[in-house]
Amino acid sequence: GLKAGSGDVVVLLSNRAQALLKQERWAPALQDAAAAVLLDPAHKKSWLRYEAALRGLGLEEAAARAHAVRFAAEGSEAAALPELSAVQGVLRNVLHGLSAIPVETSQGGMASDLKELGNRAYSEARYTEADRLYSAALSDNPDVELAAVILSNAAQCALETGTLHDALAAATASLRLRSSGKAAYRIAKAAALLGECGLAEEFLEAVSA
């Protein structure tokens, strides 16, 4: 299956989130912690870091909800998946913490249209614009299937621009929503470029299995 090495990804993302929190870099800490939470809802440290990043951004209400979810999850089975609404809520909270330039509503307004605009920008090597359009598409509250595709595409953009932890976070979140060879390959590529060669090999083996 495509879960090979997932525990290592969670630890890598969660630890980087903690390092970013120490620097008071709340938005990227939120991205990394959210991706870790999506991959493993039972990972307590990731939830704590997710809450801390939300509070750092002044999103107290969202942090309080995350706190409540964490305590509820502690009484459930470790392998249990979060409810669909909780997953969508995590994605929305991540987007609230980003500083991407807003996209004009005249450019589409619907998640699928914005995704296609992002794909076009990517094909023209306008990676920053593509990433912004993918973020806008996610903020339009797409269904889980479409969100997984958008996140995987965003991971590819991040690979192109060399923002490797962003690539790892986006691909991890995509894989959490839907099993995907592309997302797993992008995790492997980001991990390899970060020097995590053993982890990359595990994911490549999972893709080819």
Side-chain angles (χ1 to χ4, degrees):
L2 293 173
K3 294 295 184 183
S6 60
D8 293 330
V9 175
V10 170
V11 172
L12 186 63
L13 287 166
S14 186
N15 287 353
R16 183 172 187 256
Q18 178 64 9
L20 290 164
L21 288 172
K22 293 289 187 183
Q23 300 171 62
E24 298 187 358
R25 295 176 61 192
W26 311 120
L30 182 64
Q31 288 179 279
D32 283 358
V37 164
L38 286 167
L39 188 63
D40 183 1
H43 195 256
K44 186 175 179 180
K45 284 185 177 179
S46 296
W47 275 108
L48 288 169
R49 290 159 186 172
Y50 179 59
E51 288 176 46
L54 287 168
R55 295 191 193 283
L57 289 162
L59 301 172
E60 292 293 336
E61 188 174 330
R65 287 197 301 272
H67 186 78
V69 169
R70 175 169 65 84
F71 273 95
E74 286 180 353
S76 64
E77 295 181 11
L81 300 180
E83 294 294 326
L84 174 59
S85 60
V87 170
Q88 291 175 330
V90 168
L91 293 176
R92 281 195 295 272
N93 287 340
V94 172
L95 288 161
H96 282 310
L98 299 178
S99 57
I101 299 170
V103 178
E104 296 295 329
T105 55
S106 61
Q107 286 186 292
M110 299 296 290
S112 58
D113 295 333
L114 290 164
K115 177 183 77 73
E116 292 305 318
L117 287 170
N119 290 349
R120 187 184 310 165
Y122 176 84
S123 70
E124 296 170 356
R126 294 184 290 116
Y127 303 124
T128 301
E129 176 71 3
D131 184 66
R132 183 162 61 245
L133 287 160
Y134 290 143
S135 292
L138 285 169
S139 69
D140 201 53
N141 197 23
D143 62 34
V144 166
E145 192 76 11
L146 181 55
V149 172
I150 295 167
L151 284 161
S152 183
N153 289 356
Q156 182 61 30
C157 275
L159 286 170
E160 294 287 354
T161 58
T163 50
L164 301 178
H165 279 93
D166 289 349
L168 189 63
T172 297
S174 175
L175 191 60
R176 182 73 178 94
L177 297 179
R178 185 192 66 170
S179 180
S180 164
K182 278 186 178 180
Y185 173 77
R186 286 162 185 168
I187 290 174
K189 186 172 182 179
L193 290 170
L194 286 165
E196 299 285 342
C197 295
L199 177 60
E201 286 178 10
E202 288 187 48
F203 274 93
L204 287 175
E205 287 173 5
V207 172
S208 59

